[in-house]
Amino acid sequence: MRLSKDRVEVASDVHLRDGIGVEIYRDDELVIEIFRDDTDRTRTITTFKENISLELMEESIQIFKQKIPWEFIEYDVE
């Protein structure tokens, strides 16, 4: 299977952090990750490229809002 050079991948993480996010790839290179951490109750943007256009950042935020539920997952701690 060949992946598109420009793509969005939804990815979850439950090791060092606990949540879900989107990874934005351009020309087969990871450039932006937007992540919702349910433990810390934060939403963060990580950039992997020094300069990212405002248009790409705005598009990435919209994709995150469309693909990832805004509400944090509540865990019952006993």
Side-chain angles (χ1 to χ4, degrees), residues 10-23 32-46 64 68-70 72:
V10 175
S12 64
D13 189 349
V14 292
H15 179 63
L16 298 175
R17 53 191 183 171
D18 188 2
I20 190 167
V22 294
E23 298 174 340
I32 299 171
E33 176 199 61
I34 306 177
F35 190 77
R36 185 197 76 206
D37 190 315
D38 294 321
T39 303
D40 293 342
R41 301 180 63 79
T42 58
R43 295 173 195 87
T44 57
I45 297 174
T46 304
F64 174 81
I68 305 300
W70 192 253
F72 295 104

Side-chain angles (χ1 to χ4, degrees), residues 55-71:
E55 292 81 10
L56 177 56
M57 186 63 72
E58 289 175 335
E59 178 186 352
S60 299
I61 292 169
Q62 287 304 312
I63 290 169
F64 174 81
K65 289 180 175 181
Q66 291 169 358
K67 294 192 175 285
I68 305 300
W70 192 253
E71 297 77 24

